[in-house]
Amino acid sequence: MQRREFSLSAATVAAAATWGGVALPTTAQAQARAFKEGTDYLTLGKPAPTDVPAGQVEVVEFFWYSCPHCNAFEPALEAWIQKAPKDVTVRRVPVAFRPDFEPQQRLFYVLEAMGKLNELHKKVFNAIHVERQALNTADQVAAWAEKQGLNKAQFVEMYNSFSVSTKARKATQLQDTYAVDGVPALGIGGRFYTSGQLAQNMDRALQVADYLIAQSRKAK
């Protein structure tokens, strides 16, 4: 979903189901030839900060819970993560293109801080896209968290905490450093950026990411 396409219509949701419909190259060599800087991916003019130990390659998924394309991409991303090499670390970063994105951004970091992200990350997507719940304000996300069995007072305290505020601010800064223009999108090694818009679809974007991970290894 591009930054200008924030209105979620039925047509947009339907389009998410066909987000990955372009045929993929059949060999690694063909893929490498097909991936072109400026077309399939961009190289950052200034490297972005990474949060991994030496020897690791960081892949950042930029997402928004309310984005239907992010919801549709989640199963493919999960499968890709399960097969990722040991030297690849995947980090999810919720975007905030506008101030009203912040409640969901903070929701992600509160769940992370409370040790509930693995359990509830997919349930947030499900609540929005399947159950059609509105999770757009601090009160709405707190009420939803309470229904998941979390202590509401503890959730609200964490939501308003300095640590969560700092993580949300840094997420927005990273989004700006990568010049994210839509979600879902991928940042690789602090040096490269690709998306469904660039790579034609998110299935192919994962193939581009594989290629760029290899390029990042060579640069180390």
Side-chain angles (χ1 to χ4, degrees):
M1 171 171 280
Q2 296 306 104
R3 293 185 74 148
R4 63 183 179 276
E5 298 171 349
F6 296 140
S7 177
L8 301 184
S9 64
T12 303
V13 174
T18 59
W19 185 248
V22 176
L24 302 179
T26 56
T27 68
Q29 185 176 15
Q31 289 168 357
R33 284 202 304 267
F35 301 149
K36 297 179 181 179
E37 182 181 4
T39 302
D40 298 306
Y41 67 91
L42 302 175
T43 300
L44 274 60
K46 179 181 178 181
T50 57
D51 189 23
V52 293
Q56 290 282 305
V57 179
E58 181 180 70
V59 175
V60 179
E61 185 224 3
F62 294 99
F63 78 98
W64 175 39
Y65 278 124
S66 286
C67 167
H69 296 310
C70 298
N71 179 53
F73 179 51
E74 188 65 21
L77 177 64
E78 282 286 347
W80 185 84
I81 291 173
Q82 292 299 318
K83 297 177 182 178
K86 292 182 179 180
D87 67 340
V88 173
T89 299
V90 179
R91 177 161 62 116
R92 288 181 167 91
V93 172
V95 301
F97 293 149
R98 299 187 319 228
D100 58 338
F101 281 37
E102 189 174 344
Q104 291 184 14
Q105 191 181 48
R106 285 179 178 253
L107 169 61
F108 175 87
Y109 287 116
V110 174
L111 295 179
E112 182 181 66
M114 297 181 75
K116 294 293 184 178
L117 189 59
N118 288 341
E119 176 185 344
L120 298 179
H121 180 68
K122 292 180 183 178
K123 291 187 177 181
V124 180
F125 279 116
N126 189 74
I128 294 170
H129 298 282
V130 178
E131 299 171 358
R132 303 299 182 188
Q133 295 188 47
L135 297 181
N136 301 317
T137 68
D139 288 341
Q140 288 171 343
V141 298
W144 179 85
E146 185 177 30
K147 290 178 181 178
Q148 310 313 307
L150 302 185
N151 181 284
K152 186 175 182 179
Q154 185 181 2
F155 180 92
V156 171
E157 181 181 5
M158 187 66 67
Y159 182 96
N160 294 312
S161 68
F162 176 78
S163 62
V164 166
S165 297
T166 299
K167 287 183 177 181
R169 175 176 53 80
K170 288 185 176 181
T172 303
Q173 289 174 345
L174 189 64
Q175 155 201 314
D176 292 341
T177 300
Y178 271 102
V180 177
D181 62 354
V183 286
L186 301 171
I188 299 93
R191 299 175 58 224
F192 305 109
Y193 172 81
T194 190
S195 65
Q197 184 79 2
L198 286 165
Q200 302 172 39
N201 59 75
M202 287 308 298
D203 287 337
R204 193 165 181 273
L206 288 174
Q207 299 293 328
V208 175
D210 286 333
Y211 170 71
L212 295 174
I213 288 168
Q215 297 300 108
S216 297
R217 288 194 190 105
K218 293 178 183 178
K220 289 186 179 297

